[in-house]
Amino acid sequence: MNQTSAKDIYYAVSDSRMERGKGIYLYDSDGNGYIDCASGSFNLSLGYSHPAVVEAIKEQADQLIHARSGFQHPLINTLASRLVGLAPKSITSAHLKVTGGSTANEGAIRMAQRATGRRDIITLFRSHVGQTMTMASLSGNAFRKASVPFPSDTGTQVPDPYCYRCFYGQQRESCGLMCVDRIDDFIEFASSGSVAAILVEPISANGGNIVSPEGYFGKLRDLCDQHGIKLILDELQTGIGRTGHMFAAEYFGVEPDGMTLGKGLGGSGAQVAAILASDGLSGLPADDHSFTFGANIMSAAAAVATLDVIDDPAFLANVRRTGALIMERMESLKSDFSCIGDVRGVGLMIGVEIIDADGRENAKLTNHLADKAMEFGLIIRTSRNGLGNVLKFRPPLIITADEATLMCDRFEALMRAHGM
Ligand SMILES: Cc1ncc(COP(=O)(O)O)c(C=O)c1O
């Protein structure tokens, strides 16, 4: 395998050649193991090659990999009812004929547009809601939009609840959640006035691990109700146990009209995604949003096996416990290193914001730390959709306390060598 070359691959790839993975570790062709703080592309909720997922895929591959989604299959039926059963009570059905997060978000938007007869979508600054042309247009950063030849004109982006760098220059104690109140102005003066939905990540993931403050979702829900706007939660990264709860909706106590899922639902990397819909989003014809690789039976086997592991109070309690342990270590590093401006997170979704001496974002140092991380046995990714200065710690949810301690030890060594 080492003799092969990447010269025919369209995009640039790193020099590292990865050969196998187990648990929280990814191993290169020289046998070096790296703790993957990014769980692959934030999708390996159960880490690399979880035995239950591998077994489920192997067994199902022998039986039936794919059948047209117009037929029933016990695994598809089971996955749909498990997801509906676990979701907030507003959710009544699951649409599985999507291929990933981008097509799930597009489908949820189409459902909202059809249900309301309106067209506009509100998203947040720094959001990353996908990379199809529509979703790149709706993501809240110029570099995403700039890459789109035929941008969607339905989007309005509004300031996110980034309390550490509040757009309105407020302090949380006295702001009255201006970031929600002012959405009224954007509806009135920046949209077409015909807003179908607000699509929001409960914790802005690639935007910088931005955790919305207490009360944000209650107020956003009220605003949506006042305007007849559908509230859709993009739970691509926050869902399936990442926050120590099955869904972040549960942690924030919000009843959305729709939710989108993917990434961690596949456990160890199976391609599976879903739109969860309330009755208020019903009515989109079956063939209006249906993809060949959606509702894949082999992936459904992986997803059901993943839910079997994660839907366990002891498992979710461990996510909260290891998350608290990592947060505590990061907080203590913050007192040692002036370049750590903020540490924030919920469960195993943690961000470390890197700043310069004046408190401004220090993307250069952040990238340097991420580049050097592999020399310290870590894979760390940064917040490119935001200011690029947040190191993201979202290891597989199966991480043990000892492994979490080792991850923090390695990060501390990295900081001592390259931090400030
Ligand atoms: C929050 C969020 N939404 C949507 C997407 C798009 O998902 P996909 O890459 O599966 O299309 C991503 C991908 O990173 C994401 O992080």
Side-chain angles (χ1 to χ4, degrees):
M1 192 142 54
N2 279 342
Q3 310 309 319
T4 61
S5 148
K7 74 176 172 40
D8 296 324
I9 299 179
Y10 182 80
Y11 43 84
V13 287
S14 118
D15 290 338
S16 303
R17 286 170 189 235
M18 297 305 176
E19 240 168 44
R20 66 187 181 89
K22 191 162 176 35
I24 63 166
Y25 289 95
L26 182 60
Y27 294 91
D28 67 18
S29 48
D30 296 325
N32 301 308
Y34 305 90
I35 297 177
D36 191 348
C37 304
S39 299
S41 296
F42 312 105
N43 59 328
L44 307 178
S45 54
L46 296 184
Y48 290 93
S49 306
H50 190 284
V53 177
V54 172
E55 198 48 41
I57 290 176
K58 279 185 181 163
E59 253 180 43
Q60 192 51 43
D62 276 344
Q63 289 290 315
L64 180 66
I65 294 173
H66 170 95
R68 186 164 70 79
S69 56
F71 296 116
Q72 285 194 45
H73 187 278
L75 276 168
I76 299 293
N77 295 358
T78 302
L79 179 57
S81 47
R82 288 287 292 277
L83 290 174
V84 170
L86 290 166
K89 62 179 186 317
S90 52
I91 299 299
T92 51
S93 64
H95 181 311
L96 299 171
K97 300 201 286 184
V98 286
T99 51
S102 306
T103 54
N105 280 340
E106 288 199 0
I109 285 172
R110 290 172 84 167
M111 288 175 178
Q113 287 172 327
R114 187 180 171 91
T116 59
R118 304 180 187 171
R119 44 156 265 174
D120 281 19
I121 307 300
I122 290 177
T123 51
L124 301 186
F125 286 8
R126 279 171 275 266
S127 57
H128 173 218
V129 287
Q131 294 211 39
T132 53
M133 285 204 239
T134 305
M135 300 323 293
S137 307
L138 290 177
S139 289
N141 194 306
F143 84 90
R144 290 271 179 230
K145 296 180 208 297
S147 68
V148 181
F150 304 106
S152 157
D153 69 349
T154 57
T156 299
Q157 280 74 52
V158 303
D160 48 354
Y162 190 4
C163 299
Y164 184 68
R165 297 178 189 278
C166 176
F167 178 83
Y168 296 106
Q170 299 292 307
Q171 298 299 320
R172 176 64 198 98
E173 307 75 55
S174 53
C175 72
L177 290 166
M178 202 178 266
C179 52
V180 180
D181 287 336
R182 288 289 171 88
I183 295 175
D184 270 332
D185 292 337
F186 284 88
I187 294 171
E188 181 64 25
F189 303 115
S191 78
S192 70
S194 168
V195 179
I198 294 184
L199 172 66
V200 52
E201 300 163 70
I203 298 173
S204 178
N206 296 343
N209 217 85
I210 299 164
V211 182
S212 47
E214 211 184 322
Y216 179 83
F217 276 103
K219 203 157 186 182
L220 193 65
R221 179 72 267 181
D222 288 348
L223 178 125
C224 287
D225 292 342
Q226 278 154 23
H227 290 276
I229 293 171
K230 303 295 182 192
L231 176 59
I232 300 166
L233 296 185
D234 173 336
E235 290 237 26
L236 263 293
Q237 292 216 27
T238 54
I240 318 296
R242 175 58 56 194
T243 62
H245 302 266
M246 186 53 79
F247 300 112
E250 187 188 319
Y251 173 78
F252 289 109
V254 57
E255 295 267 336
D257 298 298
M259 283 165 69
T260 51
L261 303 174
K263 292 200 186 264
L265 183 56
S268 283
Q271 184 184 348
V272 54
I275 309 166
L276 303 189
S278 62
D279 288 345
L281 287 190
S282 61
L284 189 72
D287 289 334
D288 275 18
H289 202 74
S290 171
F291 299 86
T292 304
F293 294 110
N296 180 272
I297 296 168
M298 197 172 67
S299 295
V304 170
T306 300
L307 292 177
D308 284 344
V309 175
I310 296 180
D311 180 20
D312 170 358
F315 184 93
L316 292 169
N318 188 59
V319 171
R320 296 193 293 275
R321 235 183 348 261
T322 45
L325 185 158
I326 296 167
M327 283 283 281
E328 202 178 305
R329 282 289 299 275
M330 296 298 170
E331 284 290 356
S332 102
L333 287 179
K334 185 175 158 217
S335 15
D336 291 356
F337 293 93
S338 59
C339 69
I340 299 184
D342 194 30
V343 172
R344 51 181 179 257
V346 181
L348 282 169
M349 187 153 183
I350 295 166
V352 175
E353 175 144 0
I354 304 294
I355 56 171
D356 66 15
D358 298 319
R360 282 191 297 261
E361 67 276 10
N362 193 343
K364 193 164 168 231
L365 177 57
T366 312
N367 288 333
H368 182 64
L369 289 166
D371 286 348
K372 290 285 172 193
M374 284 183 76
E375 292 173 20
F376 292 79
L378 297 175
I379 296 170
I380 302 183
R381 295 178 67 178
T382 66
S383 60
R384 193 163 165 243
N385 248 63
L387 299 168
N389 70 323
V390 176
L391 297 168
K392 300 185 285 194
F393 290 89
R394 297 176 199 146
L397 308 181
I398 45 134
I399 193 168
T400 63
D402 285 348
E403 288 170 336
T405 301
L406 178 62
M407 182 187 91
C408 294
D409 290 345
R410 289 184 180 184
F411 181 59
E412 184 167 344
L414 168 70
M415 288 298 288
R416 299 224 173 273
H418 298 282
M420 288 187 315

